[in-house]
Amino acid sequence: LFSLIALLAVVGLFASNLRASQSPGWGVVVATNAFVAHGEGADVPVAIGATIGQGARIATKAGGALVLTRGEDLVTMAENSQITIADPQPLNATLIQQATGDVRYHVTKGPAPHFEVDTPLLATVVKGTTFRVTSGIGGSSVTVSEGRVVAKDRRSDKSASVGAGETGSVDT
């Protein structure tokens, strides 16, 4: 419980000092057994206070965790997860490609969809909400804690709205 309270305090400190629209990169506020690589470059350990930008591939290993912040937006990666911050980014939007793992996202509300998480099987588009995306060999899912997302099966192009307390999934 203490570590959760400390984590929230650190995240709150960093988040209150930035505005999402003014910061092109993501700030690292928690990093344990986490690594970043650019292009075909080697993985290097992620340091607290670092800024991670477009094109970065970020991975957590066993026992690892990583929290990124940009304004009030948060990305919280559990162990054995991998994401890439797409390069280039869509105009007025954020695109994160999640290859594997369990990642929670808290996205500030906006007037139009402006944040997307793509897995190999599932695309999740949001205007602002709190949700979790899980991606693995057997499939992908999105679970919404607050707000609503549109989940799209990348193979069939079928989409569905997923609200708070609901889960949408695509199996292989």
Side-chain angles (χ1 to χ4, degrees):
L1 180 62
F2 176 77
S3 60
L4 177 61
I5 292 170
L7 170 66
L8 291 175
V10 168
V11 169
L13 232 165
F14 280 89
S16 64
N17 291 328
L18 297 171
R19 302 292 281 161
S21 62
Q22 297 171 343
S23 176
W26 291 85
V28 177
V29 294
V30 172
T32 304
N33 206 18
F35 300 85
V36 63
H38 297 277
E40 297 301 317
D43 288 352
V44 296
V46 176
I48 293 174
T51 299
I52 296 179
Q54 295 179 19
R57 184 182 70 252
I58 310 147
T60 54
K61 306 294 184 192
L66 183 73
V67 178
L68 302 173
T69 182
R70 187 183 65 188
E72 295 178 23
D73 294 343
L74 295 173
V75 175
T76 305
M77 297 175 62
E79 66 178 343
N80 300 317
S81 297
Q82 181 182 318
I83 64 171
T84 300
I85 300 171
D87 183 18
Q89 288 286 301
L91 186 62
N92 299 319
T94 298
L95 172 59
I96 293 180
Q97 297 157 331
Q98 182 176 331
T100 61
D102 186 357
V103 183
R104 295 177 191 273
Y105 301 88
H106 173 78
V107 180
T108 54
K109 291 180 176 42
H114 61 90
F115 197 98
E116 182 172 340
V117 177
D118 285 357
T119 73
L121 298 173
L122 179 72
T124 304
V125 181
V126 301
K127 292 183 357 181
T129 189
T130 302
F131 62 103
R132 172 179 154 201
V133 175
T134 304
S135 177
I137 294 171
S140 297
S141 67
V142 59
T143 302
V144 179
S145 302
E146 176 187 327
R148 182 167 298 284
V149 305
V150 174
K152 179 176 154 183
D153 182 326
R154 293 173 56 92
R155 295 173 298 178
S156 70
D157 265 354
K158 292 182 181 177
S159 62
S161 181
V162 181
E166 298 178 331
T167 299
S169 63
V170 177
D171 298 322
T172 55

